[in-house]
Amino acid sequence: MAGEVASFSAQPDKGEMTSSHLPVTSMEAINLMVHYYRGELGRMAGWRDRIDRTTNWAITVVAAMLSVSLSTPNSHHGVLLFAMLLISLLLLIEARRYRFFDVYRSRVRQIEKKYFAEFLEPRGDLSPDWAAAIAKSLRKPQFEIGYREAACRRLRRNYSWMYLILLLAWALKISSSTMTEAGPFDVALSFHQVLKNAALGPIPGGGVLAIVAVFYLLILVAVLHQERSEGERVRGEAHV
């Protein structure tokens, strides 16, 4: 693989660079590759940690809002609607972080798939320009996926379950009469009572139900959104 490693480094143009600027031996090229790989791996891990932190914040928000809403008899159902807005904001933040993470993940996977895999199990199919995609990304970094695709991916992985839990809790809240000290929740027997419970300030219950229904319809569409053909599953089953 020494010859393949050497091909990773471009030769300096005459009169522009000296041999001291770029590796000229296979050992120097290997050292460069090792340090570069470790650097990209560290950047990828850093953005991955940011993604996990955002998800942890979202889970904490859901748990806190559920505790406030369901443990207090007279708590308003708007607390759960506010929780839906908060985790939507966190989802947008996480989608942005995921796009940066995907840039470095793509570079790391390119090295692992094209170089290290060939070193461990030579197949003779390593093209001389295998690092061209990495060089292009280093010269002009660009996102590999769009904002919508990143949001749909994170929604499908984690946030859809949080939205589902909040929806079930909200449905329980508006379909039950006020809990008193004498007994537990009584199931509302009429749709009129549900509409009355679902009212939010000047917004009537029917309007609130319609807004929530449209919101969750959009979530369902996003969850069922199909990845592009060269998406994450092409890189293997182990993905995020």
Side-chain angles (χ1 to χ4, degrees):
M1 297 298 296
E4 301 294 348
V5 176
S7 65
F8 178 77
S9 60
Q11 295 297 328
D13 294 334
K14 185 176 181 180
E16 295 182 357
M17 290 186 178
T18 62
S19 59
S20 61
H21 289 82
L22 294 173
V24 295
T25 65
S26 60
M27 183 58 66
E28 291 177 347
I30 291 175
N31 290 333
L32 174 64
M33 175 64 71
V34 170
H35 289 294
Y36 171 70
Y37 175 74
R38 293 177 61 185
E40 290 290 2
L41 201 62
R43 298 168 79 179
M44 183 189 75
W47 281 103
R48 176 66 202 188
D49 180 65
R50 294 186 180 185
I51 294 174
D52 291 339
R53 290 183 184 182
T54 311
T55 304
N56 292 337
W57 294 343
I59 295 174
T60 302
V61 167
V62 171
M65 293 301 184
L66 287 176
S67 177
V68 171
S69 178
L70 299 181
S71 63
T72 306
N74 297 322
S75 64
H76 199 273
H77 69 92
V79 173
L80 296 174
L81 297 178
F82 183 65
M84 296 176 188
L85 294 178
L86 282 180
I87 65 172
S88 297
L89 175 61
L90 291 173
L91 173 61
L92 296 178
I93 295 175
E94 184 164 323
R96 174 184 174 276
R97 293 179 174 182
Y98 185 86
R99 296 183 72 195
F100 282 97
F101 163 78
D102 189 69
V103 172
Y104 305 116
R105 194 258 306 267
S106 300
R107 295 176 184 172
V108 170
R109 286 296 299 131
Q110 185 77 3
I111 298 174
E112 292 175 344
K113 182 170 59 176
K114 296 293 186 178
Y115 180 72
F116 288 118
E118 181 66 18
F119 174 79
L120 296 173
E121 186 184 3
R123 294 182 178 179
D125 56 354
L126 182 63
S127 59
D129 59 344
W130 66 270
I134 302 177
K136 180 180 178 181
S137 179
L138 290 174
R139 289 189 174 96
K140 188 178 181 181
Q142 292 182 338
F143 292 117
E144 299 291 332
I145 60 175
Y147 198 97
R148 183 181 66 175
E149 185 177 353
C152 291
R153 189 175 296 183
R154 300 312 297 164
L155 177 64
R156 189 164 47 251
R157 294 287 173 265
N158 295 322
Y159 284 78
S160 59
W161 303 107
M162 302 182 205
Y163 281 117
L164 179 60
I165 292 174
L166 289 175
L167 178 62
L168 294 177
W170 182 73
L172 175 64
K173 193 71 176 179
I174 66 173
S175 63
S176 304
S177 58
T178 303
M179 186 175 67
T180 62
E181 296 180 359
F185 282 108
D186 295 325
V187 178
L189 299 178
S190 65
F191 185 68
H192 176 73
Q193 182 66 32
V194 173
L195 291 178
K196 182 179 179 181
N197 293 340
L200 185 64
I203 306 176
V208 175
L209 287 176
I211 293 174
V212 173
V214 172
F215 179 72
Y216 273 85
L217 180 61
L218 294 176
I219 292 177
L220 180 61
V221 172
V223 170
L224 299 178
H225 172 71
Q226 297 293 328
E227 296 281 354
R228 58 183 182 177
S229 58
E230 62 271 18
E232 57 181 340
R233 292 192 178 276
V234 176
R235 301 174 184 172
E237 295 181 356
H239 55 267
V240 292

